[in-house]
Amino acid sequence: MIDVVHLHASDNICVAARALEDLADPSAVAAWGRVVIEDEDYRVREWAAQALTAIGTGDAVVELTRALEDPVKEVRLAAVRGIVKRQPEAAVDTFVSMVLEDPEGEIRVPAAAAPGLIGREAVIPALEEAANDPNEFVRAAVA
């Protein structure tokens, strides 16, 4: 179904993404995984990340981790929020990198606050470094 819808304009894809997100159909994980990485329109990739979050299976989380490297903030944010909601331990190393390196404070905050970071000995140096982040909300998340 997604491949057929994908042939239409981006606005139609966003409408279709919302409809399928409501269905949270686990059989659509592979298709949404392609869309979240390959679609030219960042809004479509963002909706795909939200659909994967709604599905919430381990396979959906794997696809969301691929979207963490998207060049567009909104897509990365949707992926971070989805992983934090569904399976934060799946991306601890990536979250640590994002806390230290992502240029957007809006991304660093949920990555820093992700369950699974606090209390892990291996991430303590990164969290200590994040305590000096220029963004007050990142500092609060790791405090």
Side-chain angles (χ1 to χ4, degrees):
M1 179 173 177
I2 292 173
D3 290 335
V4 172
V5 172
H6 198 64
L7 297 174
H8 296 92
S10 293
D11 290 336
N12 291 338
I13 295 170
C14 288
V15 170
R18 269 206 167 195
L20 286 177
E21 178 185 347
D22 290 340
L23 296 176
D25 183 357
S27 68
V29 169
W32 283 126
R34 284 190 307 276
V35 172
V36 81
I37 297 301
E38 298 173 4
D39 200 277
E40 293 178 11
D41 187 330
Y42 82 89
R43 295 170 302 168
V44 175
R45 296 192 311 273
E46 181 182 8
W47 280 112
Q50 292 173 358
L52 289 163
T53 299
I55 293 168
T57 63
D59 289 341
V61 171
V62 168
E63 298 298 338
L64 284 170
T65 60
R66 294 175 51 207
L68 292 174
E69 296 183 25
D70 196 280
V72 177
K73 171 184 75 170
E74 289 81 2
V75 178
R76 291 193 317 276
L77 184 58
V80 167
R81 288 178 174 162
I83 295 167
V84 166
K85 180 178 180 178
R86 295 298 185 178
Q87 200 175 6
E89 65 280 356
V92 168
D93 293 337
T94 303
F95 285 161
V96 169
S97 295
M98 293 180 93
V99 167
L100 297 176
E101 300 169 9
D102 199 284
E104 301 290 340
E106 193 175 355
I107 304 293
R108 294 192 312 273
V109 171
L117 287 187
I118 307 301
R120 284 195 180 208
E121 194 141 335
V123 302
I124 290 174
L127 295 178
E128 288 173 346
E129 187 176 336
N132 296 314
D133 193 280
N135 183 304
E136 68 181 294
F137 298 108
V138 173
R139 293 192 308 269
V142 299

